[in-house]
Amino acid sequence: MASSALKHAIAPTTLQQAQTDALLGLLNLAISQDATVPSGTSTQPKSASAVKAPTPTAPLVWKVLVLDQQTKDVLATVLRVQDLRDAGVTLHVQLHSLRPPLPDVPAVYFIAPTLANIRRISEDLDKCLYESFHLNFVEPLPRALLEELAASVATSGTGELVEQVVDQYLSFIAPSPSLFSLLSPLPSPATQAGPSQPRPYYSYKLLNSPSSTEQQIEDEIERIASGIFSAIVTAGHVPIIRAPKGNAAEMVAKKLDVEIRDALLSASRSHGTTTSLFSQDSSGLSNLQRPLLLILDRNVDLVSMLSHGWTYQALVSDCLEIKLNRVVVTSPQKRSYDLDSKDFFWAKNAANPFPQVAEDIDAELNKYKQDAAEITRSTGVSDVNDISQLDLSSNATHLKTAITQLPELTARKATLDTHMNIATALLEQIKKRGLDELFSTEEAVNKQTVPSILEMLRAPRPDGAFGPDDKLRLVLVFYLSSPDNAISKDDIAELEKELKSAGADTAAFDYVRRTREISRMTISAAVGGTSTPVLGGQGELFRGFTALGNKLTDRLKEGGLENLISGVKNFLPANKLLPVTRLAEALMDSSAASNQSLQETDEYLFLDPRAPRHAQGLGVSGTGGGPAISGTSSAGRARRMAFLDGMVFVVGGASYVEYGNLEEWAAKTGKRLTYGGTEIVDPGSFVGVLQDLGNGVL
């Protein structure tokens, strides 16, 4: 047991992998040590030791998987249909659809704990729809709903059909190994009434709207805390919680602290009859290196949500539609592509600058061409697709080699074709919208003046003027990056006039100005920069990008996939930390942080769910204990700790620009960092949120 715990400490899994393992466990009918039928309480398994998975030699059990809309999103992000087949799922269906009875097949239910779902399960049990029922809830099943289910089972006498009732704590979406967002709340009946799709849900809008009621805000804080709790339980370790005071982040942190304490207390009172949610901590190694959980409010930095990125994943988020790792390209025809964990090119290049991505496509295509040529040379066929025509008697050895390599080559070619098409669509958008110029201007935003911004907004472009939304984002980045009162009212009026003449909705600009005047929100670039890393000088960037664009366009016209970009100069990112990364550095590695960052984070809330309640707020260490220290600054310095593992969560939304910056810092410093937010919001959608707030729309 100790050796397995040590192995986990040396090579921890990512949050995405931990979630995938938990999902495969429930699909393989992993039986919890504490599994109960509805006459008791629901179980709480979450770690590898909490479930008894079938042994590898056990025969595969074929089963039906029943989902609802929320859990479908959780599953679709990390598993594909083939993965379900491999786990023995022959059919996956929606809970509230019309389903035929399959009385000789077990069913795995993976659903949200709602009254409507419980009643539908009761109907299925009453009809004896399946051989057995394995009920898995994406988040804890409230006592009232558990009792409703138990009463229904008792009335119908179908208790023997229920194999287990399990709380899975999986109410988050993990599109990348170290990136996650919370599940959106279920739409209200009023929202569902219309025939059209419900509007996307944005936590930032609700938490910052003057028209939000106190109850709505309390419910939202509760939802966010529960979602983070699910991610922490899946990760398996109790963190040290830090958060700034006086905003939504503090409210979430305190609510989360209570939830973790209650879970630890419940486990301690069970005297071993139930498995702890944090059983990975039971090895005794946990206090040697507790992880950090940094909870921040989105208003700490709005620039990262609005700026124009230059990395592959930031451009995909900005220019194309991406949801649940599925990218939709609309030109020249609408097609969708899945970017899952098995996509080697996405895993390697998502955080790289776009010109570097284009070069890598070229290199990978050349490598594919060489490997394919080697197979055709050794087998004597003219094309890898003609291998089936080989003479089996004289080419048995070569045929075996070719058949072994062909599936991998085919999969690699399909992946490269996918990214070739995505890169082509991105290039079209970059040239059409002038994203290279916007990016370069925002990188040097500290050197910009109102006249220079106005000149750029008005200057003619060969490919047409900048779009209204892109102009608005540029002005917002410039305004938020300027010191307080650095831009006069006359200059603001001139900028607003220019935006209106371009057809932009200035409600977002009005809202940001009002918010800044009230809170004196400072997003200064003096210490951390304001957006993605600098990629060299402005003229150099344009020349390199023009060469890239011409080559890609020409090669695509020629139809030569193997002749992509070559010889284009790479622009390597400079070491520039965004505000959120700067704050994470101050808390995880104080020796490398600036004094300004340390002074800021020293004032943060310090919560250790494992420490006695009365010790909170004192100069306690990560393992609890320690004397009280007088003076705020002294206490703040005493709380400075070094962390190897950390989780950064932003209340109000996450962005790919911020994620890329945090990933880059973590890679350079050897830290293991997970980044999450209430939602992953693309820049265009966040501008829409600000516009709604400016117009008073909730």
Side-chain angles (χ1 to χ4, degrees):
M1 187 68 175
S3 62
S4 64
L6 182 61
K7 181 180 178 182
H8 180 84
I10 296 171
T13 58
T14 63
L15 182 64
Q16 185 189 55
Q17 186 58 53
Q19 186 186 51
T20 304
D21 292 345
L23 289 169
L24 291 175
L26 74 89
L27 291 177
N28 286 315
L29 307 182
I31 304 299
S32 164
Q33 292 175 350
D34 319 318
T36 64
V37 294
S39 57
T41 57
S42 57
T43 63
Q44 299 178 335
K46 267 321 297 169
S47 69
S49 61
V51 294
K52 295 179 180 177
T55 60
T57 55
L60 190 65
V61 178
W62 298 104
K63 62 195 77 75
V64 174
L65 175 62
V66 183
L67 303 165
D68 62 14
Q69 187 56 48
Q70 279 195 310
T71 54
K72 181 176 75 69
D73 290 351
V74 174
L75 216 73
T77 309
V78 292
L79 297 177
R80 297 288 173 247
V81 172
Q82 186 56 49
D83 299 319
L84 299 181
R85 296 284 181 271
D86 295 341
V89 176
T90 57
L91 183 67
H92 58 281
V93 291
Q94 283 285 324
L95 174 65
H96 294 282
S97 64
L98 188 62
R99 289 172 280 127
L102 298 167
D104 56 346
V105 179
V108 175
Y109 284 68
F110 181 44
I111 52 177
T114 66
L115 180 59
N117 286 355
I118 292 296
R119 287 176 175 168
R120 187 56 186 260
I121 292 171
S122 299
E123 291 178 20
D124 293 351
L125 282 164
D126 197 37
K127 297 174 184 175
C128 298
L129 218 55
Y130 304 110
E131 178 187 59
S132 60
F133 289 68
H134 298 256
L135 307 180
N136 297 272
F137 293 93
V138 72
E139 55 191 7
L141 179 65
R143 182 81 188 189
L145 294 181
L146 181 63
E147 290 174 354
E148 168 123 357
L149 177 62
S152 173
V153 168
T155 302
S156 60
T158 52
E160 74 280 356
L161 295 179
V162 181
E163 289 289 333
Q164 59 180 166
V165 182
V166 185
D167 292 331
Q168 287 292 345
Y169 295 93
L170 293 171
S171 59
F172 60 92
I173 292 172
S176 298
S178 53
L179 175 68
F180 74 100
S181 64
L182 305 186
L183 278 179
S184 296
L186 289 167
S188 63
T191 309
Q192 287 180 312
S196 60
Q197 290 284 338
R199 294 182 64 187
Y201 182 89
Y202 297 109
S203 183
Y204 184 86
K205 187 192 297 185
L206 188 144
L207 293 173
N208 289 276
S209 173
S211 57
S212 296
T213 64
E214 204 169 309
Q215 186 60 50
Q216 283 178 312
I217 291 175
E218 285 181 10
D219 291 345
E220 181 65 5
I221 295 297
E222 178 75 38
R223 183 186 76 86
I224 295 169
S226 296
I228 302 175
F229 183 71
S230 284
I232 292 171
V233 170
T234 302
H237 293 287
V238 179
I240 303 290
I241 304 172
R242 302 299 302 269
K245 299 176 182 178
N247 52 32
E250 179 183 9
M251 298 166 69
V252 170
K254 289 181 175 178
K255 181 77 71 174
L256 181 62
D257 178 57
V258 172
E259 282 198 43
I260 297 175
R261 284 179 179 278
D262 288 347
L264 294 173
L265 185 62
S266 176
S268 67
R269 287 176 174 173
S270 67
H271 304 294
T273 57
T274 61
T275 307
S276 170
L277 291 177
F278 303 99
S279 54
Q280 288 183 21
D281 281 357
S282 63
S283 62
L285 298 175
S286 60
N287 282 339
L288 296 178
Q289 184 51 265
R290 295 271 296 283
L292 167 75
L293 171 60
L294 172 59
I295 303 176
L296 296 169
D297 190 276
R298 182 65 271 167
N299 285 326
V300 75
D301 177 26
L302 294 183
V303 171
S304 299
M305 301 295 289
L306 300 165
S307 58
H308 294 85
W310 194 238
T311 62
Y312 193 22
Q313 60 190 359
L315 284 167
V316 168
S317 172
D318 192 353
C319 302
L320 306 175
E321 179 188 338
I322 178 170
K323 184 179 181 183
L324 306 178
N325 277 354
R326 175 162 290 180
V327 177
V328 177
V329 175
T330 55
S331 178
Q333 59 184 6
K334 188 170 183 177
R335 295 191 64 181
S336 61
Y337 304 96
D338 291 327
L339 305 178
D340 55 25
S341 57
K342 297 173 185 174
D343 188 325
F344 74 93
F345 192 87
W346 179 252
K348 177 183 176 183
N349 286 288
N352 288 337
F354 185 69
Q356 189 174 323
V357 174
E359 285 191 358
D360 202 48
I361 292 178
D362 182 43
E364 289 289 347
L365 284 169
N366 284 332
K367 183 181 176 184
Y368 164 80
K369 184 180 178 182
Q370 291 169 4
D371 292 345
E374 177 61 26
I375 289 181
T376 56
R377 185 192 61 78
S378 62
T379 55
V381 297
S382 58
D383 188 271
V384 288
N385 295 321
D386 298 333
I387 287 177
S388 59
Q389 301 174 10
L390 280 172
D391 181 359
L392 301 183
S393 58
S394 60
N395 290 285
T397 304
H398 295 313
L399 180 62
K400 180 180 178 182
T401 303
I403 289 177
T404 303
Q405 295 179 355
L406 193 58
E408 187 274 333
L409 272 180
T410 305
R412 202 198 319 170
K413 178 64 160 51
T415 298
L416 293 176
D417 284 351
T418 289
H419 289 281
M420 183 75 162
N421 293 333
I422 292 174
T424 306
L426 288 180
L427 177 64
E428 183 182 333
Q429 288 292 309
I430 289 168
K431 296 181 76 172
K432 179 181 176 182
R433 292 169 54 186
L435 297 181
D436 52 343
E437 299 172 56
L438 291 165
F439 168 78
S440 182
T441 302
E442 290 170 2
E443 284 308 298
V445 72
N446 291 338
K447 300 177 183 177
Q448 303 299 328
T449 62
V450 173
S452 68
I453 293 293
L454 287 170
E455 181 183 356
M456 183 171 182
L457 295 177
R458 295 165 179 166
R461 294 182 61 251
D463 296 307
F466 295 117
D469 287 346
D470 287 322
K471 288 185 176 183
L472 175 61
R473 285 167 58 186
L474 174 62
V475 170
L476 288 172
V477 168
F478 171 66
Y479 174 76
L480 289 168
S481 303
S482 302
D484 284 340
N485 302 318
I487 306 176
S488 68
K489 290 184 178 180
D490 291 341
D491 287 339
I492 287 175
E494 188 68 21
L495 289 168
E496 198 167 39
K497 179 183 176 183
E498 184 61 33
L499 289 174
K500 286 180 178 177
S501 68
D505 184 348
T506 58
F509 193 20
D510 295 337
Y511 172 76
V512 169
R513 290 207 319 274
R514 289 200 307 269
T515 305
R516 187 172 185 179
E517 286 166 6
I518 293 170
S519 64
R520 287 298 168 191
M521 181 172 48
T522 54
I523 315 293
S524 174
V527 181
T530 56
S531 56
T532 44
V534 176
L535 302 181
Q538 182 172 339
E540 192 176 35
L541 174 68
F542 290 165
R543 284 197 296 276
F545 182 76
T546 303
L548 164 73
N550 291 341
K551 288 194 175 187
L552 183 53
T553 305
D554 293 342
R555 295 301 180 266
L556 287 171
K557 285 179 180 176
E558 295 167 10
L561 288 172
E562 69 281 0
N563 294 322
L564 251 177
I565 317 310
S566 60
V568 177
K569 183 177 179 181
N570 272 334
F571 298 95
L572 299 178
N575 184 18
K576 189 176 183 182
L577 302 185
L578 301 184
V580 168
T581 309
R582 177 171 55 82
L583 296 172
E585 179 187 56
L587 288 168
M588 295 185 71
D589 187 10
S590 58
S591 61
S594 66
N595 286 332
Q596 179 183 335
S597 300
L598 291 172
Q599 289 171 9
E600 192 174 343
T601 54
D602 282 348
E603 303 299 320
Y604 278 17
L605 201 67
F606 183 104
L607 298 171
D608 181 358
R610 286 197 179 277
R613 287 186 188 275
H614 67 272
Q616 296 295 353
L618 304 180
V620 294
S621 70
T623 57
I629 299 176
S630 60
T632 305
S633 59
S634 300
R637 284 195 294 273
R639 295 175 188 147
R640 293 179 188 174
M641 304 164 62
F643 293 93
L644 179 62
D645 295 274
M647 179 183 289
V648 177
F649 186 89
V650 186
V651 178
S655 79
Y656 278 104
V657 168
E658 208 163 59
Y659 173 51
N661 195 251
L662 277 163
E663 267 197 318
E664 184 185 2
W665 172 79
K668 286 180 179 178
T669 57
K671 305 292 184 183
R672 292 190 290 265
L673 203 60
T674 302
Y675 171 68
T678 44
E679 307 87 19
I680 301 171
V681 190
D682 64 88
S685 296
F686 195 74
V687 169
V689 169
L690 296 178
Q691 287 173 348
D692 285 347
L693 287 168
N695 291 321
V697 177
L698 180 57

